[in-house]
Amino acid sequence: MQNSGFRILIVDDEQHYCDVLKLILEGEQYQVKTTTSSLEALEMLEQESYDLVISDFFMQDLDGFELLKKIKTDHVDTEVVIITGYGSIKNAIDAIKKGAFSYYIKSHDPEELLFEVKKVKKIAELSLKMSQPAVKGQYLMMSKNPKMKKIIDMIDKVADSNANILLLGESGVGKEAFAAYIHEKSYRKDKNFVPVNCHAYSKTLLESELFGHEKGAYTGATETRIGKFESAEGGTLFLDEIGDATPDMQVKMLRVLDTKRIERIGSNRLIDVDFRLVCATNRNITEMIQTGLFREDFYYRISTFALEIPPLRERREDIPQMVHFFMSRLASDMKKTIKSVNDDLMDYLLQYDYPGNIRELKNMIERLIVLSVDGILRKEDLYLDQKNKTQFQIQTLKTFRNQSEKHYIERILKHTEGHLTQAAEHLDITRRQLFNKIQELEIDIERFKTKNEK
């Protein structure tokens, strides 16, 4: 977690003192906001999350004890440092007993306050590393965003029921990860979690995929095949991009939800099914209902609870946590050691709008890890167009990796003037591995050699 991702709220009824502390803390690249009212501070905490509140003990509306109590009740992840004078040190110590992290005496060197802030930040970083979850999608359930916290709270309440859930939100916000989390939190977790992307199938293929078919049901049906409804028996069926299902297909699915029975294609035998349904879409279902593209009765059947997942640009306070999660997991998968993220890269990641949401952030971190040769992730390795961040050439990750590796190897070869042994040492690979890469990526080694070597 870089300083630029650490959020601090200063509460003091002296505006001048707020301004001074803000200037000092912003000098260390922390994100800082101020208020002269304890009540306003509580309102600000409801609107957005803060890692640390630095508050004067004596305030006109709520004193330090009351403010501390409310913060520790409603915002348990937020630490509190109490500001005090010499005459009220006893009150500050009592506040620590009630949950404050520490206290700072106003007349002391500001370096003491910075030291306390660094301790809070370090503990937050350690807690984050220790709490990285193994369950797919659970990293999404550790949000600091107030809106996300309400959605997560709702999911935790309804996950263990049989209620049908509709997840709404832009592409890439993690809807399948949320669906998997719902399954893991339910009593059905020991049974199958079966995902189906409705967008990937035509009407005929989707019907066969869901209902299954009997041998000889149609040309090419050489054997009996059970569908996803049966595969999800006792577990959870996740229908992604449900907005792409045709009205006819919606009618057939609606009947299954009402009767809990299916017929395989080519059979008239009814089969009982038992599954929990979670659906998702990035389309505007309300508009689709109005235009007749989506059945209203089917919508109400699949959306006992409709939850809209906010895009990543609306929950920027979660970005440092996600960067750390993806960095740890992907580096482990690639068997690479990543030491740190440069401050300028983290600043860029915190400000970027992410048209592809969490999926795009994950891909960006993966690219940076692929390109890192010294364990440090850097902004310059993104190769993004700064003038238009949302426009880029769509390509497979394999193609991007090859192009990026080729570009970087060529830079190293230019630096070593085509000297393979030196280039291999810089890249931390063997000379043979470098030679294989040069052949694989079709790099013209001759253009990097000096005239004498030629």
Side-chain angles (χ1 to χ4, degrees):
M1 182 189 297
Q2 304 296 317
N3 286 357
S4 55
F6 193 79
R7 300 168 62 84
I8 302 174
L9 176 61
I10 300 171
V11 189
D12 194 298
D13 52 12
E14 295 181 28
Q15 184 63 58
H16 174 69
Y17 194 72
C18 284
D19 294 339
V20 170
L21 285 188
K22 185 173 188 289
L23 187 65
I24 292 171
L25 292 166
E26 285 185 337
E28 297 296 317
Q29 305 303 313
Y30 294 109
Q31 291 188 44
V32 184
K33 289 190 177 180
T34 68
T35 177
T36 57
S37 164
S38 294
L39 293 176
E40 185 179 21
L42 293 173
E43 291 178 2
M44 294 171 71
L45 285 163
E46 287 296 326
Q47 295 170 2
E48 54 185 325
S49 66
Y50 293 86
D51 299 287
L52 172 64
V53 173
I54 300 175
S55 174
D56 192 8
F57 189 85
F58 295 106
M59 300 287 291
Q60 294 181 359
D61 37 18
L62 293 178
D63 66 23
F65 283 129
E66 293 175 293
L67 180 59
L68 174 65
K69 181 179 178 181
K70 288 185 177 295
I71 291 175
K72 285 301 172 182
T73 300
D74 299 331
H75 310 280
V76 293
D77 295 331
T78 301
E79 294 290 356
V80 180
V81 170
I82 295 294
I83 303 173
T84 184
Y86 273 113
S88 57
I89 291 178
K90 182 181 180 303
N91 288 334
I93 294 174
D94 288 340
I96 291 176
K97 293 178 181 179
K98 295 181 184 297
F101 182 84
S102 63
Y103 66 90
Y104 167 68
I105 300 173
K106 281 190 173 183
S107 58
H108 281 195
D109 190 332
E111 284 295 327
E112 293 184 15
L113 177 61
L114 291 175
F115 180 70
E116 294 300 320
V117 173
K118 288 177 183 177
K119 284 198 294 185
V120 175
K121 178 174 173 288
K122 177 61 70 175
I123 290 173
E125 290 173 340
L126 291 174
S127 298
L128 177 60
K129 290 181 181 179
M130 294 296 292
S131 63
Q132 290 302 331
V135 177
K136 180 182 180 182
Q138 196 166 334
Y139 67 93
L140 293 172
M141 308 301 150
M142 301 168 64
S143 178
K144 296 180 179 181
N145 179 269
K147 184 176 180 180
M148 272 302 305
K149 283 184 176 181
K150 291 180 181 178
I151 293 173
I152 293 166
D153 182 58
M154 179 63 71
I155 286 175
D156 287 337
K157 289 177 180 177
V158 306
D160 206 31
S161 70
N162 277 318
N164 296 331
I165 297 176
L166 176 62
L167 301 173
L168 304 170
E170 297 177 8
S171 178
V173 296
K175 296 187 287 294
E176 182 170 348
F178 276 90
Y181 177 79
I182 291 168
H183 174 71
E184 291 291 337
K185 292 283 288 185
S186 74
Y187 69 88
R188 297 174 179 269
K189 64 183 179 180
D190 294 328
K191 301 295 183 179
N192 289 338
F193 172 76
V194 182
V196 179
N197 189 328
C198 299
H199 180 72
Y201 301 96
S202 65
K203 175 196 169 186
T204 303
L205 287 177
L206 179 60
E207 183 176 2
S208 177
E209 188 72 13
L210 292 176
F211 289 86
H213 60 254
E214 296 289 347
K215 181 179 179 179
Y218 52 82
T219 302
T222 58
E223 59 184 16
T224 297
R225 181 174 181 273
I226 68 169
K228 301 301 186 183
F229 284 134
E230 291 180 78
S231 298
E233 178 65 25
T236 301
L237 177 65
F238 174 55
L239 298 181
D240 197 8
E241 304 301 346
I242 191 65
D244 289 350
T246 64
D248 287 346
M249 195 67 229
Q250 294 168 33
V251 171
K252 293 178 179 180
M253 287 191 281
L254 179 60
R255 181 172 177 79
V256 174
L257 295 177
D258 287 338
T259 65
K260 291 295 182 181
R261 290 180 171 184
I262 67 162
E263 294 177 16
R264 293 178 190 153
I265 297 174
S267 170
N268 56 9
R269 182 172 67 92
L270 291 173
I271 302 172
D272 292 330
V273 289
D274 171 34
F275 58 86
R276 199 272 185 80
L277 181 66
V278 179
C279 297
T281 183
N282 60 9
R283 303 182 68 177
N284 189 321
I285 295 294
T286 301
E287 287 184 1
M288 294 182 69
I289 291 173
Q290 292 173 351
T291 56
L293 294 175
F294 205 88
R295 292 180 61 93
E296 190 171 17
D297 52 355
F298 183 58
Y299 167 73
Y300 287 122
R301 194 69 176 80
I302 66 175
S303 62
T304 306
F305 292 93
L307 304 173
E308 184 162 5
I309 313 301
L312 186 55
R313 62 183 174 275
E314 294 180 8
R315 46 182 300 204
R316 296 182 188 275
E317 57 268 57
D318 293 336
I319 291 174
Q321 173 178 304
M322 290 185 184
V323 169
H324 179 82
F325 173 81
F326 287 132
M327 189 173 70
S328 299
R329 194 183 73 179
L330 295 171
S332 176
D333 290 344
M334 297 181 202
K335 295 180 172 55
K336 294 188 71 171
T337 299
I338 301 299
K339 304 170 186 174
S340 64
V341 179
N342 269 9
D343 284 347
D344 59 344
L345 171 60
M346 183 59 77
D347 289 341
Y348 175 81
L349 294 175
L350 287 168
Q351 296 169 20
Y352 183 57
D353 277 345
Y354 299 98
N357 288 294
I358 296 171
R359 184 183 296 126
E360 183 178 8
L361 173 61
K362 175 179 177 291
N363 287 342
M364 290 168 75
I365 299 303
E366 186 168 10
R367 294 169 192 164
L368 289 166
I369 292 174
V370 168
L371 296 173
S372 175
V373 294
D374 58 0
I376 299 175
L377 304 190
R378 294 181 171 85
K379 178 183 173 182
E380 52 264 31
D381 287 334
L382 282 173
Y383 301 123
L384 294 178
D385 179 3
Q386 299 299 309
K387 295 181 180 179
N388 191 346
K389 300 174 184 177
T390 63
Q391 293 183 2
F392 58 93
Q393 181 182 1
I394 296 176
Q395 55 189 314
T396 66
L397 186 57
K398 181 179 179 181
T399 301
F400 180 86
R401 282 175 175 167
N402 287 341
Q403 290 180 353
S404 299
E405 285 187 4
K406 182 176 182 179
H407 178 75
Y408 189 72
I409 290 173
E410 287 177 341
R411 285 170 59 190
I412 295 296
L413 289 170
K414 182 178 179 181
H415 175 71
T416 63
E417 297 181 337
H419 195 291
L420 295 185
T421 301
Q422 290 181 13
E425 289 175 353
H426 284 304
L427 295 166
D428 195 23
I429 59 177
T430 66
R431 195 175 189 275
R432 179 65 182 173
Q433 287 174 321
L434 174 57
F435 183 76
N436 289 340
K437 280 290 183 184
I438 289 172
Q439 288 188 313
E440 176 190 344
L441 300 174
E442 299 180 349
I443 297 173
D444 182 10
I445 183 67
E446 293 299 319
R447 67 191 178 94
F448 299 104
K449 293 182 178 179
T450 62
K451 292 182 179 180
N452 291 335
E453 288 179 309
K454 290 181 179 180

